Amino acid sequence: MSTVQTKLTNQQQYEGAMYINGRALPVQNPIPIPNPARLTEVVGTIPKGSIAECHMAIEAAQAAFPAWAALSIHERARTVATAYEAFMPGMDDRAVLLSRENGKTRIEAWFDCMGAKRCVDYYVNLSKDFELEWEPPAPNGRVVVTRKPMGVAGIIVPWNAPVLLAYLGIAPALIAGNTVVVKPSNFVPLALIDTVRLMAEYLPPGVLNVITGPGAAIGKELASHPLVRRMIFTGSVEVGKQVLLDAASTVKRCTMELGGNDPAIVLPDANLDTAVPGILRAVFTGAGQICYDVKRIYVQKDIYSQFVKCFTEAADEIVVGNGLDPNVTMGSITTKEQYNFVNDLIAESKAGSGKVTVVGKKAVSEEEWKNGYFILPHIVTGVDHRHRVVTCEQFGPIIPIISFDTEEEAVRLANDSEFGLASSIWTEDIEHAWELARKIDAGTTFVNTHAVASAVDMPFGGFKWSGLGRSHGVIALEEQYELQTLSTRKLQGGN
Ligand code: NAD
């Protein structure tokens, strides 16, 4: 059995083989996975993956489906709970692996890896009294509504929090009776492949498979294939739209977790002693590369200057460097594309009428700095609400702070976006915050907090272009099933 502990010390390379139908495939055409915080270091390899292997995985999952679906939900939950124990012992080493392939801090990586446990625990518990069948009152006959698993679920995962995000789909899909094919991002695949492989070894062959390969070919094939009945996609709006088009060709059920541009609204009575560190954490976690990170801050004009001063001072304490260094509080950007995008955004912000303040400390030498995708925190003030640094999903450590006058204006600005993932309101008047929260068009509105990963029992997803359907909570399990109505009921006067 392969485990990350036996293969990995800090500098060893991890071979991320595909796992299909109960066995790891030999790695052919290996693609190197670099460490974004040390570009000369190769963290591991994955195979390129072909359409034929994608088909093999889908067909294995389809073949495993009838027997897996025929088990009771309790039998499946027991099997899944036992299987996940397998990946628990290597958790710390896996967090190191994830930090090396993603660039995030070790603690952030550990939180992501532990996400698999939180998801499995939650859905195993939920299965204990999950209602699978019920009889609505029916005159003239009997009606039974029953839940049926759908078949093969395809799960496509981004690079920013791959383990947690994959398991938000894997755990409810398996417990519902669906079989699974996971496709990680080519940028950060290794910790997820390791987690899935370890768990899959304890499940019947074909129930859980992991494939690799370019999104535009392998991801597209998964989204289009007729045997895949449920698609769970987490990623950008741009690719999400393409996946929806591809999934439409076979009328798949889709859950789409897409981009965000979360606003934080700071009211004049906010307690800055708690609001500033709370918002700061929500801005710079994962170097700004989390869908739920705060990406625009709106502050009432009476406290604007004070807020900017406190926020800038606090952000100046951020230590940027290699995520494995325990002194580092913010890691690197993950991909070259994202690094270039954020640097362009910084240049654009500097060229306009706004003011850009660069803060934070470097925990590496100038030479090491150039050998990684590092960017210090950037604070942008004095820009218009329509500036691109405000309207786009920056996905990097650059944050605009904008002043508003009235609450109506704040709500209008917060809602003036094609995104609607999460948001937050910061005030000492909690009752008033609850009222205001209802006016925000977002899947989640926090009050005096802005979690960067919503709790697994809270429905999670976006309004508008931020997504379709919901992950987390009971709804994510319900969405794994088709509803079938069995009926002897006759319509009045008819059949
Ligand atoms: P991405 O859309 O570029 O890629 C996501 C996944 O899709 C990858 O596995 C990729 O290989 C695959 N893919 C690429 N082209 C494809 C295609 N044509 N068909 C099928 N699959 C394809 O996203 P990313 O850059 O990896 O991740 C960052 C984005 O993810 C951000 O926009 C972020 O907001 C979003 N995200 C959303 C959530 C959420 O829950 N709402 C969570 C995390 C990240």
Side-chain angles (χ1 to χ4, degrees):
M1 186 179 304
S2 60
T3 73
V4 91
Q5 306 113 290
T6 56
K7 290 194 151 202
L8 184 78
T9 63
N10 270 8
Q11 305 312 327
Q12 275 180 322
Q13 293 190 15
Y14 181 87
E15 190 181 80
M18 288 188 272
Y19 193 86
I20 299 176
N21 204 20
R23 72 184 184 96
L25 268 54
V27 175
Q28 283 161 356
N29 305 319
I31 303 171
I33 307 297
N35 180 343
R38 235 169 62 158
L39 291 166
T40 40
E41 176 190 327
V42 173
V43 182
T45 54
I46 54 167
K48 186 158 178 235
S50 66
I51 298 286
E53 284 155 334
C54 176
H55 288 176
M56 204 194 295
I58 295 171
E59 283 157 19
Q62 176 68 18
F65 172 65
W68 184 244
L71 297 175
S72 74
I73 191 169
H74 308 293
E75 286 168 318
R76 282 193 300 269
R78 264 198 305 278
T79 310
V80 167
T82 309
Y84 101 96
E85 288 299 335
F87 63 69
M88 287 304 294
M91 201 58 86
D92 289 339
D93 289 337
R94 201 169 298 115
V96 170
L97 177 63
L98 181 56
S99 170
R100 287 171 66 213
E101 60 177 333
N102 174 285
K104 60 173 76 179
T105 65
R106 187 174 180 160
I107 183 82
E108 288 168 346
W110 190 84
F111 185 80
D112 187 351
C113 291
M114 282 298 285
K117 173 178 161 50
R118 287 198 303 281
C119 294
V120 171
D121 275 348
Y122 173 73
Y123 285 104
V124 164
N125 266 325
L126 196 67
S127 69
K128 287 180 186 150
D129 45 23
F130 184 65
E131 190 176 37
L132 285 167
E133 200 159 284
W134 60 96
E135 287 197 32
N140 310 324
R142 182 180 175 209
V143 173
V144 174
V145 182
T146 186
R147 296 188 201 273
K148 288 189 75 168
M150 290 178 176
V152 180
I155 301 181
I156 299 181
V157 186
W159 46 257
N160 63 341
V163 183
L164 168 66
L165 293 169
Y167 271 79
L168 284 172
I170 293 171
L174 289 180
I175 285 174
N178 295 321
T179 52
V180 172
V181 178
V182 188
K183 196 210 86 63
S185 160
N186 262 11
F187 294 110
V188 184
L190 303 174
L192 175 57
I193 289 177
D194 190 66
T195 313
V196 169
R197 266 170 60 174
L198 280 172
M199 189 176 180
E201 283 169 8
Y202 286 84
L203 298 172
V207 166
L208 177 59
N209 310 274
V210 59
I211 55 173
T212 58
I218 303 302
K220 192 177 177 63
E221 192 60 23
L222 201 55
S224 321
H225 199 288
L227 289 179
V228 177
R229 296 311 314 145
R230 167 153 280 285
M231 175 53 53
I232 303 173
F233 174 84
T234 310
S236 62
V237 171
E238 193 192 354
V239 175
K241 287 180 186 172
Q242 186 56 52
V243 168
L244 275 177
L245 284 173
D246 290 330
S249 64
T250 50
V251 197
K252 288 183 186 28
R253 278 53 175 159
C254 293
T255 303
M256 311 296 289
E257 297 291 358
L258 307 179
N261 188 1
D262 289 9
I265 298 177
V266 187
L267 298 183
D269 67 342
N271 177 350
L272 295 192
D273 289 343
T274 50
V276 167
I279 297 174
L280 190 87
R281 200 176 316 115
V283 168
F284 294 112
T285 296
Q289 302 169 105
I290 302 288
C291 58
Y292 248 43
D293 276 339
V294 168
K295 302 194 177 71
R296 333 172 246 161
I297 309 176
Y298 296 103
V299 185
Q300 208 280 337
K301 67 177 177 31
D302 295 346
I303 57 160
Y304 183 78
S305 305
Q306 193 194 353
F307 180 90
V308 171
K309 179 174 177 293
C310 296
F311 189 86
T312 307
E313 283 169 7
D316 197 36
E317 297 303 314
I318 291 175
V319 180
V320 184
N322 190 316
L324 291 182
D325 175 347
N327 298 314
V328 163
T329 54
M330 192 177 95
S332 71
I333 298 296
T334 304
T335 71
K336 186 175 182 186
E337 290 75 5
Q338 198 55 33
Y339 178 73
N340 290 340
F341 177 79
V342 177
N343 276 317
D344 285 352
L345 213 49
I346 290 170
E348 225 176 277
S349 305
K350 283 180 176 165
S353 56
K355 178 181 165 200
V356 180
T357 309
V358 189
V359 291
K361 297 163 178 47
K362 296 180 182 178
V364 292
S365 68
E366 282 307 315
E367 200 183 325
E368 288 167 321
W369 187 264
K370 287 188 196 125
N371 190 32
Y373 299 136
F374 297 112
I375 299 181
L376 285 167
H378 284 64
I379 297 165
V380 185
T381 51
V383 277
D384 183 78
H385 166 74
R386 298 310 308 164
H387 192 287
R388 200 161 76 106
V389 76
V390 184
T391 57
C392 80
E393 182 187 40
Q394 309 97 342
F395 241 50
I398 175 166
I399 183 74
I401 311 181
I402 295 161
S403 96
F404 68 86
D405 189 357
T406 63
E407 278 179 10
E408 291 67 32
E409 184 189 2
V411 170
R412 182 175 55 74
L413 294 173
N415 287 342
D416 183 20
S417 168
E418 62 222 15
F419 297 102
L421 192 56
S423 52
S424 53
I425 296 171
W426 300 77
T427 173
E428 288 295 271
D429 186 344
I430 306 293
E431 284 309 310
H432 181 56
W434 282 109
E435 273 172 46
L436 202 59
R438 292 175 198 276
K439 297 182 182 170
I440 310 283
D441 298 331
T444 305
T445 300
F446 295 104
V447 174
N448 289 338
T449 183
H450 195 118
V452 289
S454 185
V456 69
D457 57 352
M458 285 165 57
F460 164 80
F463 284 19
K464 300 186 268 184
W465 290 15
S466 287
L468 281 182
R470 291 292 179 269
S471 307
H472 298 209
V474 184
I475 189 168
L477 187 55
E478 289 171 344
E479 286 193 356
Q480 294 296 325
Y481 290 98
E482 293 284 13
L483 285 186
Q484 185 179 26
T485 304
L486 314 175
S487 173
T488 59
R489 185 175 177 185
K490 292 186 170 48
L491 290 182
Q492 265 182 344
N495 291 327

